[in-house]
């Protein structure tokens, strides 16, 4: 168990997820293969859904290719635009998904390579500007919500926890979200309770610039910020999903990626059969695949090997790619339209009809 | 009409879409405000849907933070991973959505500032690897499909056209997608028919590296590539959407952004009313807004100004933000649950019930 991490990295590289690029003993960045880039895209979309779209207050994205990297130095411009869109009132939020992060979130003093903290990775950063009397409560609520976000996509939710709160000063508290892996803890996200300390050393005119309305009075916003990185998230969810179950005496590699994050949601499989049937099965797979893709479902169609290798080896490959569902076609499907939908999680197959496939899969993908 | 472009830029900056950063007379990059960053995110998602997910062949994303910028020098690694996932067979595609593009797509000899070609912008690049006998046909089909993509999101589809095909050599043809604006033509995308010319100067062993299976024989792939940039796309769709209709003698600014691209899909409005009713309307808006956001619909909730300004001025603001639908609440809504859904396109209001709002809006947003 202690040595799974090298095998995780090996699988990540072999299957086109990601590959850490190491320069002078430091992970400089991740190279993303086809599956990793789709995973990163899905992580960004889920982060946006949870941090920007599905919020009580309005949260405003922004992006400045040239902005600095300090966590809380929001460009005055982004703050001003957001406040205007919010009619001058608190609370509101700012978020960015592609500001370059050029330093590791946390520097440990250990000698091992910090795979989870590539020097360069897109920063997923959220900043809340709220009223002073709700700030402290928001800080506690936000920690909790962020922890739930990590757990929601996990194959082993208990792995994610919050660290103790560190008080650097009376007005500045930080807490971390931590994942517990067999090889130790990894720090994933930092949540900082700045309060109004960010504005303390500003001149009076600068202070006035940052004021916003709280009901009828003008006040300096209370600031709470959370920061994680896309690269850290991708490697975390891959490591979290990695499993080595023993089936019939032999060890397999399964990536139990959440279906919202899985790069490919659907693959096709069929047991080897005669050449004539094989061609018809491939045509049917192509047709079904077209319908799924039109509905926006990301699929992988192994058209040239379908019905060639043993069904078990096709499933084993799909499991190691983290694909949650495999459509199993056979000669019977050609006769009566009944196909199998094999779940990676249960390894069981349920039956459906070709005519209902797209709407059923859409339903499966919709819920968390 | 000729002078609309400065007013478009002004609106883009004022409303938090984007702002070109000009260095030495050259547009270096775009700063994205809240609406621009959501627009960019929507453009990337639609590009991925059309170029990666909803395709007949498998298309593989990849991303290397350090890769070069030459259009067709795919890293051997990405090619190899994609070919393996495709079981060694043609056809397949490679795509990237965030490779930095550090040079303008097209350099014109005019003296004016090239707003549509920021020096730095994410590149949206698609490369098809197909069999030699289908390559030429694919090139023609792909031009056509890309033109349709641009037209699909346009308020004035006839604006987009293909340029003549330029033959730089017998084996290298290029064509451009061009938008016709009142101030002239802008080049948006370049589609290149490389054929097998990319491999001509390679050594025999390198040629062997790039071979893939076409049926039972091994062959060098036929390459067709299309390149546009996120920045160019964002400014193009904003310029395309910009309208200045004259309503009741006064000129308005309306952004007719397609609902798939619009940063905010829904906003709320209510005519001024008594304080007690106003508070109830704001509570109802907050409740409805929560349901819509939970369903993943991006909304803007102007809770603190709702039922404060004249309805017309609320609509005018929403139109200038490109919001396709506004939920109009009134005292009647509080009594019988009937609300209005005002369309930006028709300026007409249709009626719906509060209990059906979320499912109806989901339906409106689903289709193109």
């Amino acid at each position: 168990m202690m040595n799974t991490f090298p095998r995780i990295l090996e699988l990540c590289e072999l299957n086109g997820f990601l590959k850490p690029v190491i320069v002078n003993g430091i992970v400089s960045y991740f190279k993303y293969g086809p599956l990793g880039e789709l995973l990163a895209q899905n992580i960004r979309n889920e982060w946006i859904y949870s941090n920007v779209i599905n919020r009580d207050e309005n949260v405003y994205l922004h992006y400045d290719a040239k902005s600095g990297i300090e966590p809380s130095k929001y460009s005055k411009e982004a703050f001003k635009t957001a406040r205007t869109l919010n009619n001058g009132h608190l609370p509101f939020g700012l978020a960015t998904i592609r500001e370059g992060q050029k330093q590791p979130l946390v520097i440990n003093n250990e000698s091992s390579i910090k795979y989870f903290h590539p020097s360069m990775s897109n920063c997923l950063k959220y900043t809340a500007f709220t009223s002073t009397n709700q700030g402290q409560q928001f800080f506690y609520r936000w920690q909790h919500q962020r922890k739930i976000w990590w757990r929601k996509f996990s194959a082993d939710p208990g792995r994610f926890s919050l660290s103790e709160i560190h008080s650097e000063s009376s007005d500045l508290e930080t807490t971390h979200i931590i994942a517990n892996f067999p090889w130790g803890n990894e720090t994933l996200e930092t949540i900082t309770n700045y309060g109004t300390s960010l504005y303390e050393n500003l001149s009076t005119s600068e202070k006035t610039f940052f004021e916003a309305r709280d009901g009828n009075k003008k006040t300096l916003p209370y600031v709470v910020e959370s920061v994680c990185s896309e690269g850290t998230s991708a490697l975390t969810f891959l490591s979290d999903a990695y499993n080595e179950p023993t089936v019939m005496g032999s060890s397999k590699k399964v990536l139990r990626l959440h279906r919202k994050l899985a790069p490919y949601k659907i693959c096709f499989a069929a047991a080897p059969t005669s050449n004539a049937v094989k061609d018809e099965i491939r045509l049917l797979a192509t047709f079904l695949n077209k319908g799924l893709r039109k509905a926006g479902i990301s699929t992988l169609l192994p058209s040239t090997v379908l019905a060639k290798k043993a069904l078990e080896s096709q499933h084993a490959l799909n499991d190691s790619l983290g694909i949650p569902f495999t459509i199993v076609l056979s000669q019977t499907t050609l006769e009566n339209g009944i196909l199998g939908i094999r779940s990676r999680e249960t390894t069981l197959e349920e039956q459906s009809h070709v005519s209902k496939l797209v709407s059923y899969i859409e339903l499966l993908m919709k819920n968390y």
Side-chain angles (χ1 to χ4, degrees), chain A residues 189-202:
Chain A
E189 177 160 351
T190 303
I191 302 156
T192 309
N193 184 7
Y194 285 103
T196 53
S197 65
L198 285 178
Y199 310 109
E200 260 161 25
N201 298 321
L202 297 183

Side-chain angles (χ1 to χ4, degrees), chain A residues 204-267:
Chain A
T204 314
S205 70
E206 281 182 305
K207 277 185 181 165
T208 312
F209 177 90
F210 282 106
E211 282 181 349
R213 301 193 78 85
D214 174 21
N216 286 323
K217 64 178 201 292
K218 282 200 154 189
T219 176
L220 280 169
Y222 191 103
V223 180
V224 173
E225 190 167 85
S226 60
V227 184
C228 60
S229 99
E230 183 193 282
T232 306
S233 310
L235 187 56
T236 300
F237 287 122
L238 285 165
S239 304
D240 173 76
Y242 185 82
N243 259 264
E244 295 176 341
T246 307
V247 181
M248 314 240 224
S250 71
S251 173
K252 290 175 48 181
K253 291 183 202 308
V254 176
L255 277 182
R256 297 179 59 205
L257 283 171
H258 190 281
R259 60 181 168 284
K260 288 279 187 187
L261 298 186
Y264 296 111
K265 319 297 187 189
I266 300 285
C267 193

Side-chain angles (χ1 to χ4, degrees), chain A residues 289-307:
Chain A
N289 185 54
K290 221 167 177 161
L292 290 165
R293 287 185 175 177
K294 188 155 185 251
I297 295 159
S298 167
T299 69
L300 190 63
L301 176 63
S303 56
T304 48
V305 293
L306 207 58

Side-chain angles (χ1 to χ4, degrees), chain A residues 12 28 68 73 141 150 199 219 241 244 263 281 284 334 356 362:
Chain A
C12 283
S28 171
K73 296 281 185 295
R141 211 169 56 227
W150 287 96
Y199 310 109
T219 176
E244 295 176 341
I281 285 179
L284 179 61
L334 300 173
K356 292 191 179 136
E362 274 185 308

Side-chain angles (χ1 to χ4, degrees), chain A residues 91-342:
Chain A
F92 63 89
L94 275 175
T96 181
I97 54 163
R98 42 180 188 163
E99 201 172 286
Q101 178 194 321
K102 288 185 196 79
Q103 282 178 12
L105 266 177
V106 177
I107 298 160
N108 292 324
N109 297 318
E110 297 159 32
S111 60
S112 60
I113 293 176
K114 301 286 163 296
Y115 285 101
F116 282 74
H117 297 287
S119 310
M120 291 187 300
S121 175
N122 275 341
C123 192
L124 302 172
K125 181 164 69 177
Y126 164 82
T127 314
F129 299 92
T130 178
S131 65
T132 308
N133 56 10
Q134 300 192 329
Q136 191 69 31
Q137 203 187 3
F138 183 88
F139 173 57
Y140 293 123
R141 211 169 56 227
W142 190 239
Q143 291 169 40
H144 186 65
Q145 286 193 25
R146 291 301 302 151
K147 187 180 71 179
I148 288 175
W149 186 82
W150 287 96
R151 289 187 167 185
K152 188 162 68 171
F153 302 107
S154 171
D156 181 5
R159 187 195 299 286
F160 295 92
S161 60
L162 284 163
S163 74
E164 301 269 309
I165 293 173
H166 313 277
S167 294
E168 289 174 33
S169 71
S170 65
D171 211 16
L172 188 66
E173 301 171 313
T174 58
T175 180
H176 301 287
I177 290 173
I178 287 173
N180 177 253
F181 289 109
W183 56 88
N185 286 341
E186 300 285 353
T187 303
L188 312 178
E189 177 160 351
T190 303
I191 302 156
T192 309
N193 184 7
Y194 285 103
T196 53
S197 65
L198 285 178
Y199 310 109
E200 260 161 25
N201 298 321
L202 297 183
S203 68
T204 314
S205 70
E206 281 182 305
K207 277 185 181 165
T208 312
F209 177 90
F210 282 106
E211 282 181 349
R213 301 193 78 85
D214 174 21
N216 286 323
K217 64 178 201 292
K218 282 200 154 189
T219 176
L220 280 169
Y222 191 103
V223 180
V224 173
E225 190 167 85
S226 60
V227 184
C228 60
S229 99
E230 183 193 282
T232 306
S233 310
L235 187 56
T236 300
F237 287 122
L238 285 165
S239 304
D240 173 76
Y242 185 82
N243 259 264
E244 295 176 341
T246 307
V247 181
M248 314 240 224
S250 71
S251 173
K252 290 175 48 181
K253 291 183 202 308
V254 176
L255 277 182
R256 297 179 59 205
L257 283 171
H258 190 281
R259 60 181 168 284
K260 288 279 187 187
L261 298 186
Y264 296 111
K265 319 297 187 189
I266 300 285
C267 193
F268 292 85
T273 176
S274 71
N275 273 337
V277 176
K278 190 158 69 185
D279 288 346
E280 285 209 49
I281 285 179
R282 287 181 186 179
L283 278 176
L284 179 61
T286 305
F287 169 77
L288 292 172
N289 185 54
K290 221 167 177 161
L292 290 165
R293 287 185 175 177
K294 188 155 185 251
I297 295 159
S298 167
T299 69
L300 190 63
L301 176 63
S303 56
T304 48
V305 293
L306 207 58
K308 215 171 176 180
K309 289 186 193 161
L311 201 51
E312 269 316 308
S313 85
Q314 296 178 51
H315 287 330
L317 176 64
N318 295 345
D319 286 351
S320 74
L321 295 173
I323 301 174
F325 299 103
T326 301
I327 312 295
V328 184
L329 304 175
S330 66
Q331 187 158 9
T332 335
T333 317
L334 300 173
E335 286 156 12
N336 61 12
I338 305 286
L339 48 77
I341 304 176
R342 176 190 180 270

Side-chain angles (χ1 to χ4, degrees), chain A residues 58-98:
Chain A
N58 293 318
V59 179
Y60 305 98
L61 278 172
H62 70 112
Y63 174 57
D64 180 349
K66 285 285 171 81
S67 74
I69 52 151
E70 302 102 301
S72 45
K73 296 281 185 295
Y74 272 97
S75 78
K76 289 184 161 189
E77 232 170 304
F79 180 87
K80 199 176 164 188
T81 311
R83 187 180 52 193
T84 306
L85 278 167
N86 221 45
N87 307 299
H89 280 263
L90 298 172
F92 63 89
L94 275 175
T96 181
I97 54 163
R98 42 180 188 163

